[in-house]
Amino acid sequence: MSFLEYRVKQAPTGLRKVLYLNWPLVVLVTAVAAVGFLMLYSIAGGSLEPWALRQMQVFGLGMGLMFGIALVPIWFWRSMAGVAYLIAFLLLLVVEFFGTVGMGAQRWIDLGFIRLQPSEMMKFTLVMMLAAYYDWLDPKRVSRPLYVLIPVLLTVAPTVLVLLQPNLGTSLMLLLAGGAVMFAAGVSLWYFGAVIGVAVGAVVGVFTLRGTPWQFLHDYQYKRIDTFLDPTADPLGAGYNIIQAQIALGSGGWGGKGYMQGTQSRLNFLPEKHTDFIFTTLAEEFGFVGAFSLLVLYALIIGFCLVAALRNRDRFSALLILGVAANFFFYIAVNLSMVMGMAPVVGVPLPLLSYGGSAMLVLLVGFGLVQSAHVHRPR
Amino acid sequence: MRRNPREAEESNRQLNRRTLMLGGAMGAMVAVLGVRMRYLQVEQADEFKLLAEENRISIRLIPPDRGLIRDRSGKLIANNEQNYRVVITREAAGDAELVLRRLVRVIPMTPEEVERAIEEVKSLSAFVPVTVAERLSWTDFSKVALNAPALPGVTPEVGLSRKYPLDTDFAHVVGYVGPVSEKDLEGLQSPDPLLRIPKFQIGKIGVEKWMEDTLRGHAGTKRIEVNSAGRVMRELERQEGDAGADIRLTIDAGVQNFAQARLGTESAAVVVMDVSNGDIICCASAPSFDPNLFVRGISHTDYKVLMENDHRPLANKTVSGAYPPGSTFKMVTALAALEAGVITPETRVRCPGYIEYGGRRFHCWKRGGHGSVGLVRSLSESCDVYYYDIAQKVGIDKIAEMGRRLGLGQRFDMPMSAITEGIMPDKQWKLEKHKQDWRIGDTINASIGQGYVLTSPLQLAVMTARIASGRAVAPRLVRMVRDQELPVPEAPPLEIPPEFLAAVRGGMNEVVNGDHGTGKSSRVVDPTMIFAGKSGTSQVRNISKAEREAGVISNDDLPWNRRDHALFVGFAPFDAPRYAVAVVVEHGGGGGAVAGPIARDVILRAMSDGLPSLEAYPSSQRGRIESMLKELPLRDPETGIVPTKTET
């Protein structure tokens, strides 16, 4: 009995699949997205324009995509992993050379109706690719140098392209997501120890080379690190964002200032309040209670994913779910660390809350894959 | 990809192990985030709440209304007038330049004003209102309001600005306000925050300056919410300040206006003082200027005209001008000699027309001499030799001491600018000032108010008031502050024996009312208002021997600025003195002929309700006086308008 046949027999078919979806996950994702709509409505000063309505439309579209993807058997997606990865990689190359320049970075292809960000696509295609790779690879060979090198290249190649755009946040996310899948797949901990050692060395190198013609990062990226180390040094310039964000957060206090009462956001002291810094408005208006509740919702989403991964005996499915969950987690962790002054401002949105079509769609596509893996798991 | 089940089981276990490790790490990170959240939002909440408030709240000052200045009976001298102005906000205007060009067609604006406004609008934040035009007429103002649809971003506003309805009459006394300058802020330890308000107006000279603290009041505050760009979102709280205190001067606006008109185009000053309490009833300096010009910001050409005028309209001659008092000083010398006992009122001195001292001749104004002269005649006919003689006997130090007791050589504390001390010289003074010993010749010169002696019209008025009242009255300018009468301390007696004062006053009576008096043309015939005084004609140059030998040159033949100053001091009524007056007409000629009539007219005006009655004048002068009074450009008491002369 082939593996394939085994699964076909056991998996639900037709519309019955809907009953087998991971419904708690759907509800949690919708709940978090709804919080996002509320915040965007508040930030616009009590108006659906310009953000809330569009975000809701994108979310509707994304949910459709998610259900569509969920109903397609996971083995189809596994077979598509290589193609998807290749397409995303080629598109990354295209934007590297022909992409539209926005905000000082080459990031998207304008298709007219939507601005396609290949770096966003890369987020789930990389996870798919690596999951498929480890599904194919004999687990005994996982830690062999040659077989470690292949996924490292698969991860690093797009990471470098994204970094060159330059988009520090997304490249970091790709690196972390790739690392998480490799970690889950059982690559020896020695490799991770070595990488961390090299990373520390690289950080030292980056700072040593600063100011020389060979400096590794853009000046504005160096500046972000400086600001992180001491935001008060330049309170009206580079440190303004982070100081104002913390003021917003802190002044929310225990219970918050009330919905649409956040002075920091309403009076425009907050930067990027509808995108990367959306959490600050939430924390200001709903206080610690609201902010912590959101954190709990996020933790629940990740928790349900982890449980789904643990319960899934298909190696591809489990790795895919883990990869998506890890990616989701890293976004949350980096964004919240950033707005709470624990990490440099690297420009990472808060998943499901921050305004942004591409990110939302990609996220829901990722959850679609998770659902597909869940629905079609071996029983 | 078929694997044996044992291996699959093994790899699956490892996957689960790693999943749990990942999950553990994630859980730990979520915990860290939660703790950080708690730290920021619970432990540090108060500090951040404060910072958020600081961000959001801005405190603005509400300028208080400046106190009004009124005359002794309540007539407005300095007022806060509705100032119709037009402001423009770039943000609301869209194309501010286009809107301004349209605005020019509605209200009168010079091209420079338009350019300046465009520049200012462009240089400031989009939401900051810029004042484009001020002090518009009601018509222009309503035109702007009517054309509002075509003028986006343009708002007509009403504010308060200082207005001096009696313009030239009180320019020197009250002064004017103007925007705070760097110089005003210099030397202030902790300046009132109001002074930091752009274009805030404070007193620059005169009462406006010296009573600034009383008039300014205290700022109110409003707490407003601002956004990150500083734009005002709403007002949260308002605390009204205290308006400045209104003050009432001792000056009578009617008398002041009469005096100003009576002085006309002369370069002259007149002070009228109440001899009982020192109230300054009138303090006029001519020519004058319109203080309203300065409030608006005087144009360069207007300022140049004022600066280049040789009659010095900007100077307040009543308190800043220091003149040799001439013969008006003779009462001081006489009182010093009487008190020292070197003469009695009956002592007679022979006047041959000059005395010789140290090989030098000191002439009497009357070349032929006065013959035998007593105290009364020495005053009424103003014999110089008499004083040359008695001054040598009494000595300069006693004369100077008497001068100071009568108010000369000292600065009176009044809320006016540039009050001069004058000079009341003595031996010590000359030694310190000129490093020279005092000479008898100096005493001779000083005895008739020449030489080193310098006095201001105010000091002369005080001197006369003290002689008339026998008390050391001091001048005062402010009668009431915030409807509270200021107390007048009773003036201490002069401690001069009354019979001496009576003798001198008798002499002053003869000056005006005697048959040969130098001031007989200033006589008052109304028995309730008998006028007494003393004329003075002070030289501003030394008459050379050659000139003297060539014969006395008539004043009229000299250039204006070398002619004698004409002075007159007086008081009335003679038997129960009420007012003292001092007049100085710069380069006016003879004191008796020029200054005396002015002094009489002004003091009569002070004693009358309205224009002085013709009955008070000698019948022979009435025709001339009547036409003179009719010609005076007096302010209409109701409308405050000064009639412009029409050719008939």
Side-chain angles (χ1 to χ4, degrees), chain A residues 247-286:
Chain A
I247 291 175
L249 264 156
S251 64
W254 178 262
K257 295 176 185 167
Y259 185 52
M260 308 233 286
Q261 304 294 314
T263 57
Q264 286 284 105
S265 72
R266 210 163 40 80
L267 301 173
N268 254 329
F269 288 102
L270 284 177
E272 310 271 343
K273 56 190 177 180
H274 63 292
T275 56
D276 294 357
F277 282 82
I278 191 166
F279 179 73
T280 54
T281 305
L282 176 111
E284 186 183 21
E285 298 191 350
F286 295 109

mmCIF file of all heavy atoms in Angstrom, chain A residues 247-286:
data_model
loop_
_atom_site.group_PDB
_atom_site.id
_atom_site.type_symbol
_atom_site.label_atom_id
_atom_site.label_comp_id
_atom_site.label_asym_id
_atom_site.label_seq_id
_atom_site.Cartn_x
_atom_site.Cartn_y
_atom_site.Cartn_z
ATOM 1 N N ILE A 247 5.595 55.856 24.868
ATOM 2 C CA ILE A 247 4.702 56.750 25.610
ATOM 3 C C ILE A 247 3.251 56.306 25.413
ATOM 4 O O ILE A 247 2.472 56.232 26.361
ATOM 5 C CB ILE A 247 4.900 58.220 25.159
ATOM 6 C CG1 ILE A 247 6.260 58.732 25.611
ATOM 7 C CG2 ILE A 247 3.796 59.094 25.735
ATOM 8 C CD1 ILE A 247 6.579 60.121 25.111
ATOM 9 N N ALA A 248 2.918 55.976 24.160
ATOM 10 C CA ALA A 248 1.557 55.535 23.873
ATOM 11 C C ALA A 248 1.226 54.279 24.664
ATOM 12 O O ALA A 248 0.201 54.201 25.344
ATOM 13 C CB ALA A 248 1.401 55.280 22.376
ATOM 14 N N LEU A 249 2.125 53.307 24.579
ATOM 15 C CA LEU A 249 1.934 52.046 25.285
ATOM 16 C C LEU A 249 1.777 52.277 26.782
ATOM 17 O O LEU A 249 0.799 51.842 27.396
ATOM 18 C CB LEU A 249 3.182 51.195 25.085
ATOM 19 C CG LEU A 249 3.160 50.178 23.979
ATOM 20 C CD1 LEU A 249 4.557 49.864 23.542
ATOM 21 C CD2 LEU A 249 2.477 48.940 24.489
ATOM 22 N N GLY A 250 2.751 52.963 27.337
ATOM 23 C CA GLY A 250 2.787 53.145 28.785
ATOM 24 C C GLY A 250 1.609 53.949 29.281
ATOM 25 O O GLY A 250 1.021 53.631 30.316
ATOM 26 N N SER A 251 1.232 54.993 28.503
ATOM 27 C CA SER A 251 0.157 55.848 28.993
ATOM 28 C C SER A 251 -1.190 55.151 28.924
ATOM 29 O O SER A 251 -2.162 55.611 29.509
ATOM 30 C CB SER A 251 0.131 57.169 28.222
ATOM 31 O OG SER A 251 -0.172 56.927 26.870
ATOM 32 N N GLY A 252 -1.249 54.031 28.201
ATOM 33 C CA GLY A 252 -2.488 53.261 28.191
ATOM 34 C C GLY A 252 -2.822 52.722 29.565
ATOM 35 O O GLY A 252 -3.982 52.583 29.933
ATOM 36 N N GLY A 253 -1.770 52.414 30.316
ATOM 37 C CA GLY A 253 -1.968 51.950 31.692
ATOM 38 C C GLY A 253 -2.693 50.620 31.742
ATOM 39 O O GLY A 253 -2.626 49.826 30.802
ATOM 40 N N TRP A 254 -3.385 50.391 32.820
ATOM 41 C CA TRP A 254 -4.027 49.096 33.030
ATOM 42 C C TRP A 254 -5.223 48.919 32.103
ATOM 43 O O TRP A 254 -5.327 47.948 31.383
ATOM 44 C CB TRP A 254 -4.485 48.986 34.490
ATOM 45 C CG TRP A 254 -5.190 47.711 34.772
ATOM 46 C CD1 TRP A 254 -6.537 47.503 34.821
ATOM 47 C CD2 TRP A 254 -4.580 46.438 35.016
ATOM 48 N NE1 TRP A 254 -6.817 46.198 35.079
ATOM 49 C CE2 TRP A 254 -5.629 45.509 35.211
ATOM 50 C CE3 TRP A 254 -3.260 45.982 35.096
ATOM 51 C CZ2 TRP A 254 -5.397 44.165 35.466
ATOM 52 C CZ3 TRP A 254 -3.032 44.637 35.364
ATOM 53 C CH2 TRP A 254 -4.086 43.740 35.544
ATOM 54 N N GLY A 255 -6.102 49.911 32.100
ATOM 55 C CA GLY A 255 -7.358 49.720 31.374
ATOM 56 C C GLY A 255 -7.450 50.494 30.063
ATOM 57 O O GLY A 255 -8.438 50.396 29.357
ATOM 58 N N GLY A 256 -6.432 51.291 29.750
ATOM 59 C CA GLY A 256 -6.471 52.031 28.496
ATOM 60 C C GLY A 256 -7.275 53.312 28.586
ATOM 61 O O GLY A 256 -7.940 53.570 29.587
ATOM 62 N N LYS A 257 -7.177 54.112 27.537
ATOM 63 C CA LYS A 257 -7.856 55.405 27.531
ATOM 64 C C LYS A 257 -9.253 55.302 26.944
ATOM 65 O O LYS A 257 -9.978 56.287 26.886
ATOM 66 C CB LYS A 257 -7.044 56.421 26.716
ATOM 67 C CG LYS A 257 -5.696 56.732 27.356
ATOM 68 C CD LYS A 257 -4.855 57.650 26.500
ATOM 69 C CE LYS A 257 -3.474 57.814 27.127
ATOM 70 N NZ LYS A 257 -2.522 58.442 26.203
ATOM 71 N N GLY A 258 -9.605 54.143 26.487
ATOM 72 C CA GLY A 258 -10.920 53.971 25.887
ATOM 73 C C GLY A 258 -10.813 53.982 24.368
ATOM 74 O O GLY A 258 -9.934 54.616 23.804
ATOM 75 N N TYR A 259 -11.769 53.262 23.754
ATOM 76 C CA TYR A 259 -11.742 53.138 22.293
ATOM 77 C C TYR A 259 -11.858 54.523 21.647
ATOM 78 O O TYR A 259 -12.687 55.323 22.043
ATOM 79 C CB TYR A 259 -12.886 52.231 21.853
ATOM 80 C CG TYR A 259 -12.881 51.925 20.374
ATOM 81 C CD1 TYR A 259 -11.731 51.440 19.748
ATOM 82 C CD2 TYR A 259 -14.009 52.128 19.600
ATOM 83 C CE1 TYR A 259 -11.727 51.152 18.396
ATOM 84 C CE2 TYR A 259 -14.013 51.839 18.238
ATOM 85 C CZ TYR A 259 -12.854 51.354 17.641
ATOM 86 O OH TYR A 259 -12.843 51.091 16.309
ATOM 87 N N MET A 260 -11.004 54.799 20.712
ATOM 88 C CA MET A 260 -10.935 56.060 19.966
ATOM 89 C C MET A 260 -10.553 57.245 20.859
ATOM 90 O O MET A 260 -10.755 58.383 20.479
ATOM 91 C CB MET A 260 -12.275 56.367 19.283
ATOM 92 C CG MET A 260 -12.768 55.211 18.464
ATOM 93 S SD MET A 260 -13.143 55.681 16.803
ATOM 94 C CE MET A 260 -14.644 56.571 17.044
ATOM 95 N N GLN A 261 -10.026 56.986 22.037
ATOM 96 C CA GLN A 261 -9.630 58.071 22.943
ATOM 97 C C GLN A 261 -8.116 58.196 23.061
ATOM 98 O O GLN A 261 -7.623 58.953 23.888
ATOM 99 C CB GLN A 261 -10.202 57.837 24.346
ATOM 100 C CG GLN A 261 -11.700 57.670 24.394
ATOM 101 C CD GLN A 261 -12.419 58.929 24.002
ATOM 102 O OE1 GLN A 261 -12.079 60.014 24.458
ATOM 103 N NE2 GLN A 261 -13.385 58.826 23.115
ATOM 104 N N GLY A 262 -7.385 57.431 22.303
ATOM 105 C CA GLY A 262 -5.922 57.458 22.425
ATOM 106 C C GLY A 262 -5.364 58.779 21.927
ATOM 107 O O GLY A 262 -5.452 59.104 20.752
ATOM 108 N N THR A 263 -4.824 59.567 22.867
ATOM 109 C CA THR A 263 -4.343 60.892 22.455
ATOM 110 C C THR A 263 -3.114 60.781 21.583
ATOM 111 O O THR A 263 -2.920 61.558 20.659
ATOM 112 C CB THR A 263 -4.013 61.751 23.685
ATOM 113 O OG1 THR A 263 -3.062 61.069 24.486
ATOM 114 C CG2 THR A 263 -5.247 62.026 24.489
ATOM 115 N N GLN A 264 -2.260 59.838 21.883
ATOM 116 C CA GLN A 264 -1.014 59.723 21.125
ATOM 117 C C GLN A 264 -1.284 59.429 19.647
ATOM 118 O O GLN A 264 -0.652 59.982 18.765
ATOM 119 C CB GLN A 264 -0.144 58.604 21.702
ATOM 120 C CG GLN A 264 0.520 58.955 23.005
ATOM 121 C CD GLN A 264 1.699 59.889 22.795
ATOM 122 O OE1 GLN A 264 1.608 61.060 23.069
ATOM 123 N NE2 GLN A 264 2.801 59.367 22.296
ATOM 124 N N SER A 265 -2.251 58.551 19.409
ATOM 125 C CA SER A 265 -2.507 58.200 18.018
ATOM 126 C C SER A 265 -3.409 59.237 17.363
ATOM 127 O O SER A 265 -3.185 59.634 16.233
ATOM 128 C CB SER A 265 -3.114 56.810 17.916
ATOM 129 O OG SER A 265 -4.440 56.819 18.374
ATOM 130 N N ARG A 266 -4.405 59.713 18.103
ATOM 131 C CA ARG A 266 -5.353 60.654 17.502
ATOM 132 C C ARG A 266 -4.680 61.977 17.168
ATOM 133 O O ARG A 266 -5.032 62.647 16.226
ATOM 134 C CB ARG A 266 -6.522 60.893 18.462
ATOM 135 C CG ARG A 266 -7.829 61.210 17.793
ATOM 136 C CD ARG A 266 -8.977 61.023 18.763
ATOM 137 N NE ARG A 266 -8.643 61.501 20.088
ATOM 138 C CZ ARG A 266 -8.679 62.783 20.428
ATOM 139 N NH1 ARG A 266 -9.015 63.688 19.569
ATOM 140 N NH2 ARG A 266 -8.366 63.137 21.668
ATOM 141 N N LEU A 267 -3.692 62.383 17.981
ATOM 142 C CA LEU A 267 -3.011 63.656 17.745
ATOM 143 C C LEU A 267 -1.735 63.474 16.937
ATOM 144 O O LEU A 267 -0.880 64.350 16.904
ATOM 145 C CB LEU A 267 -2.701 64.339 19.080
ATOM 146 C CG LEU A 267 -3.940 64.631 19.932
ATOM 147 C CD1 LEU A 267 -3.539 65.150 21.288
ATOM 148 C CD2 LEU A 267 -4.834 65.635 19.238
ATOM 149 N N ASN A 268 -1.622 62.270 16.343
ATOM 150 C CA ASN A 268 -0.542 62.070 15.365
ATOM 151 C C ASN A 268 0.863 61.986 15.941
ATOM 152 O O ASN A 268 1.828 62.194 15.223
ATOM 153 C CB ASN A 268 -0.543 63.202 14.343
ATOM 154 C CG ASN A 268 -1.088 62.706 13.040
ATOM 155 O OD1 ASN A 268 -0.918 61.536 12.719
ATOM 156 N ND2 ASN A 268 -1.743 63.568 12.304
ATOM 157 N N PHE A 269 0.979 61.733 17.237
ATOM 158 C CA PHE A 269 2.335 61.611 17.763
ATOM 159 C C PHE A 269 2.938 60.279 17.365
ATOM 160 O O PHE A 269 4.142 60.117 17.346
ATOM 161 C CB PHE A 269 2.334 61.742 19.293
ATOM 162 C CG PHE A 269 2.081 63.139 19.755
ATOM 163 C CD1 PHE A 269 0.849 63.527 20.226
ATOM 164 C CD2 PHE A 269 3.090 64.085 19.674
ATOM 165 C CE1 PHE A 269 0.625 64.828 20.623
ATOM 166 C CE2 PHE A 269 2.862 65.387 20.081
ATOM 167 C CZ PHE A 269 1.623 65.756 20.560
ATOM 168 N N LEU A 270 2.051 59.304 17.069
ATOM 169 C CA LEU A 270 2.549 57.982 16.730
ATOM 170 C C LEU A 270 2.914 57.904 15.261
ATOM 171 O O LEU A 270 2.189 58.380 14.407
ATOM 172 C CB LEU A 270 1.480 56.937 17.037
ATOM 173 C CG LEU A 270 1.318 56.612 18.507
ATOM 174 C CD1 LEU A 270 0.185 55.629 18.668
ATOM 175 C CD2 LEU A 270 2.604 56.034 19.057
ATOM 176 N N PRO A 271 4.031 57.261 14.980
ATOM 177 C CA PRO A 271 4.440 57.054 13.598
ATOM 178 C C PRO A 271 3.810 55.775 13.070
ATOM 179 O O PRO A 271 3.452 54.900 13.851
ATOM 180 C CB PRO A 271 5.944 56.881 13.733
ATOM 181 C CG PRO A 271 6.108 56.241 15.081
ATOM 182 C CD PRO A 271 4.992 56.725 15.950
ATOM 183 N N GLU A 272 3.664 55.661 11.777
ATOM 184 C CA GLU A 272 3.292 54.382 11.155
ATOM 185 C C GLU A 272 2.220 53.670 11.952
ATOM 186 O O GLU A 272 2.245 52.449 12.098
ATOM 187 C CB GLU A 272 4.532 53.461 11.103
ATOM 188 C CG GLU A 272 5.765 54.091 10.531
ATOM 189 C CD GLU A 272 5.861 53.925 9.036
ATOM 190 O OE1 GLU A 272 5.147 53.048 8.495
ATOM 191 O OE2 GLU A 272 6.631 54.664 8.400
ATOM 192 N N LYS A 273 1.262 54.467 12.458
ATOM 193 C CA LYS A 273 0.366 53.856 13.435
ATOM 194 C C LYS A 273 -0.596 52.871 12.805
ATOM 195 O O LYS A 273 -1.188 52.073 13.512
ATOM 196 C CB LYS A 273 -0.398 54.940 14.172
ATOM 197 C CG LYS A 273 -1.146 55.844 13.235
ATOM 198 C CD LYS A 273 -1.688 57.037 13.939
ATOM 199 C CE LYS A 273 -2.356 57.923 12.899
ATOM 200 N NZ LYS A 273 -2.920 59.109 13.433
ATOM 201 N N HIS A 274 -0.789 52.906 11.484
ATOM 202 C CA HIS A 274 -1.711 51.939 10.890
ATOM 203 C C HIS A 274 -0.964 50.713 10.383
ATOM 204 O O HIS A 274 -1.563 49.730 10.011
ATOM 205 C CB HIS A 274 -2.505 52.580 9.752
ATOM 206 C CG HIS A 274 -1.661 53.036 8.614
ATOM 207 N ND1 HIS A 274 -0.791 54.087 8.740
ATOM 208 C CD2 HIS A 274 -1.521 52.575 7.357
ATOM 209 C CE1 HIS A 274 -0.161 54.260 7.576
ATOM 210 N NE2 HIS A 274 -0.578 53.353 6.744
ATOM 211 N N THR A 275 0.363 50.771 10.364
ATOM 212 C CA THR A 275 1.103 49.600 9.891
ATOM 213 C C THR A 275 1.939 49.019 11.029
ATOM 214 O O THR A 275 1.406 48.379 11.918
ATOM 215 C CB THR A 275 1.988 49.961 8.672
ATOM 216 O OG1 THR A 275 2.854 51.029 9.040
ATOM 217 C CG2 THR A 275 1.150 50.395 7.503
ATOM 218 N N ASP A 276 3.245 49.266 11.013
ATOM 219 C CA ASP A 276 4.127 48.584 11.975
ATOM 220 C C ASP A 276 3.795 48.901 13.429
ATOM 221 O O ASP A 276 4.028 48.096 14.313
ATOM 222 C CB ASP A 276 5.588 48.961 11.696
ATOM 223 C CG ASP A 276 6.062 48.432 10.360
ATOM 224 O OD1 ASP A 276 5.259 47.728 9.696
ATOM 225 O OD2 ASP A 276 7.201 48.710 9.969
ATOM 226 N N PHE A 277 3.279 50.119 13.690
ATOM 227 C CA PHE A 277 3.084 50.515 15.085
ATOM 228 C C PHE A 277 1.634 50.419 15.541
ATOM 229 O O PHE A 277 1.238 51.064 16.492
ATOM 230 C CB PHE A 277 3.621 51.935 15.305
ATOM 231 C CG PHE A 277 5.118 51.991 15.419
ATOM 232 C CD1 PHE A 277 5.923 51.996 14.302
ATOM 233 C CD2 PHE A 277 5.719 51.996 16.675
ATOM 234 C CE1 PHE A 277 7.302 52.031 14.418
ATOM 235 C CE2 PHE A 277 7.098 52.019 16.795
ATOM 236 C CZ PHE A 277 7.886 52.041 15.662
ATOM 237 N N ILE A 278 0.856 49.597 14.848
ATOM 238 C CA ILE A 278 -0.573 49.532 15.181
ATOM 239 C C ILE A 278 -0.798 49.042 16.603
ATOM 240 O O ILE A 278 -1.752 49.435 17.274
ATOM 241 C CB ILE A 278 -1.336 48.651 14.154
ATOM 242 C CG1 ILE A 278 -2.846 48.822 14.342
ATOM 243 C CG2 ILE A 278 -0.924 47.196 14.266
ATOM 244 C CD1 ILE A 278 -3.668 48.276 13.206
ATOM 245 N N PHE A 279 0.127 48.206 17.078
ATOM 246 C CA PHE A 279 -0.031 47.675 18.439
ATOM 247 C C PHE A 279 -0.045 48.797 19.483
ATOM 248 O O PHE A 279 -0.716 48.701 20.502
ATOM 249 C CB PHE A 279 1.104 46.693 18.737
ATOM 250 C CG PHE A 279 1.033 46.113 20.112
ATOM 251 C CD1 PHE A 279 0.076 45.171 20.443
ATOM 252 C CD2 PHE A 279 1.927 46.511 21.097
ATOM 253 C CE1 PHE A 279 0.002 44.629 21.716
ATOM 254 C CE2 PHE A 279 1.855 45.980 22.379
ATOM 255 C CZ PHE A 279 0.891 45.041 22.681
ATOM 256 N N THR A 280 0.699 49.878 19.227
ATOM 257 C CA THR A 280 0.775 50.958 20.209
ATOM 258 C C THR A 280 -0.590 51.611 20.400
ATOM 259 O O THR A 280 -0.963 51.970 21.515
ATOM 260 C CB THR A 280 1.789 52.030 19.785
ATOM 261 O OG1 THR A 280 1.467 52.479 18.473
ATOM 262 C CG2 THR A 280 3.187 51.470 19.798
ATOM 263 N N THR A 281 -1.335 51.767 19.305
ATOM 264 C CA THR A 281 -2.667 52.359 19.429
ATOM 265 C C THR A 281 -3.580 51.456 20.238
ATOM 266 O O THR A 281 -4.316 51.905 21.116
ATOM 267 C CB THR A 281 -3.265 52.606 18.033
ATOM 268 O OG1 THR A 281 -2.363 53.400 17.296
ATOM 269 C CG2 THR A 281 -4.592 53.308 18.134
ATOM 270 N N LEU A 282 -3.502 50.165 19.927
ATOM 271 C CA LEU A 282 -4.309 49.200 20.682
ATOM 272 C C LEU A 282 -3.967 49.270 22.167
ATOM 273 O O LEU A 282 -4.847 49.335 23.026
ATOM 274 C CB LEU A 282 -4.044 47.800 20.144
ATOM 275 C CG LEU A 282 -4.772 46.696 20.918
ATOM 276 C CD1 LEU A 282 -5.853 46.073 20.061
ATOM 277 C CD2 LEU A 282 -3.816 45.635 21.412
ATOM 278 N N ALA A 283 -2.656 49.264 22.452
ATOM 279 C CA ALA A 283 -2.222 49.264 23.850
ATOM 280 C C ALA A 283 -2.620 50.557 24.534
ATOM 281 O O ALA A 283 -2.917 50.583 25.717
ATOM 282 C CB ALA A 283 -0.713 49.073 23.922
ATOM 283 N N GLU A 284 -2.630 51.681 23.779
ATOM 284 C CA GLU A 284 -2.998 52.950 24.376
ATOM 285 C C GLU A 284 -4.496 52.989 24.680
ATOM 286 O O GLU A 284 -4.908 53.450 25.737
ATOM 287 C CB GLU A 284 -2.634 54.101 23.428
ATOM 288 C CG GLU A 284 -2.871 55.458 24.066
ATOM 289 C CD GLU A 284 -2.600 56.620 23.131
ATOM 290 O OE1 GLU A 284 -2.616 56.413 21.900
ATOM 291 O OE2 GLU A 284 -2.389 57.732 23.641
ATOM 292 N N GLU A 285 -5.280 52.468 23.749
ATOM 293 C CA GLU A 285 -6.725 52.604 23.918
ATOM 294 C C GLU A 285 -7.318 51.518 24.802
ATOM 295 O O GLU A 285 -8.321 51.749 25.475
ATOM 296 C CB GLU A 285 -7.400 52.635 22.545
ATOM 297 C CG GLU A 285 -6.934 53.850 21.735
ATOM 298 C CD GLU A 285 -7.746 54.108 20.489
ATOM 299 O OE1 GLU A 285 -8.565 53.250 20.116
ATOM 300 O OE2 GLU A 285 -7.550 55.179 19.881
ATOM 301 N N PHE A 286 -6.712 50.325 24.794
ATOM 302 C CA PHE A 286 -7.282 49.234 25.588
ATOM 303 C C PHE A 286 -6.401 48.817 26.760
ATOM 304 O O PHE A 286 -6.742 47.898 27.493
ATOM 305 C CB PHE A 286 -7.589 48.033 24.696
ATOM 306 C CG PHE A 286 -8.664 48.310 23.685
ATOM 307 C CD1 PHE A 286 -8.363 48.420 22.338
ATOM 308 C CD2 PHE A 286 -9.972 48.517 24.093
ATOM 309 C CE1 PHE A 286 -9.353 48.701 21.413
ATOM 310 C CE2 PHE A 286 -10.967 48.793 23.167
ATOM 311 C CZ PHE A 286 -10.652 48.886 21.831
#
